[in-house]
Amino acid sequence: MFNHILVPIDGSDASMAAVSKASGLALAFGSRITLIHVIDNYPFIGVGADYALGQNEYLAAATSSANAALARGVAALAAEGLHSDQRVIDGHVVHEGIVDTANALGCDLIVMGSHGRHGIEKLLLGSVTQRVLQDAHVPVLVVRS
């Protein structure tokens, strides 16, 4: 039913719950899994000479965090006997990076966690999951931790 499942992860409990759900689906349908982590390359505005140094430090830390999250997902899938592809995606808008990757790889399902933000927190931080639901051209399974 599903041939290729995309799982965006950030290392949170919600994203790891999505990895677990994707694992069960992959075992049931013989699906491939690709894990991605989207890094926002432009998270802040800097001025002057300090900007380049700050940007380089940010990118190094963000890449390290992305690789740690992906490694955690890979380990969880390997424990179930599943192999996965992994990618770090550079993008300014996280939900666009997810949807664009799903389209580019020909994924037929996105499985992602939701942090379950409400009220002012959701208003201020937004919802990547909600935006993926609006823009994706494939089914999206939302998993709550």
Side-chain angles (χ1 to χ4, degrees):
M1 181 170 204
F2 298 112
N3 295 315
H4 193 174
I5 302 171
L6 182 70
V7 185
I9 62 173
D10 60 8
S12 68
D13 290 342
S15 69
M16 292 308 296
V19 170
S20 177
K21 184 63 71 176
S23 172
L25 291 168
L27 289 168
F29 296 116
S31 311
R32 288 179 36 211
I33 295 178
T34 298
L35 303 174
I36 65 167
H37 182 98
V38 180
I39 295 177
D40 179 354
N41 286 326
Y42 310 101
F44 62 93
I45 297 174
V47 178
D50 292 338
Y51 173 69
L53 179 59
Q55 181 73 4
N56 290 337
E57 289 174 346
Y58 163 77
L59 288 175
T63 301
S64 176
S65 177
N67 288 330
L70 290 169
R72 189 172 170 206
V74 167
L77 293 171
E80 298 294 324
L82 294 169
H83 169 75
S84 62
D85 296 320
Q86 317 81 59
R87 295 177 184 219
V88 175
I89 307 297
D90 295 328
H92 181 57
V93 181
V94 174
H95 77 275
E96 288 178 1
I98 294 167
V99 172
D100 291 348
T101 302
N103 292 336
L105 297 179
C107 296
D108 50 9
L109 177 66
I110 300 171
V111 178
M112 61 188 301
S114 174
H115 296 285
R117 293 187 177 108
H118 296 92
I120 192 74
E121 184 181 36
K122 183 175 182 179
L123 178 66
L124 293 174
L125 298 175
S127 171
V128 172
T129 303
Q130 183 63 39
R131 291 182 179 136
V132 170
L133 283 166
Q134 292 171 349
D135 294 347
H137 300 290
V138 299
V140 179
L141 175 61
V142 179
V143 179
R144 294 235 173 149
S145 58

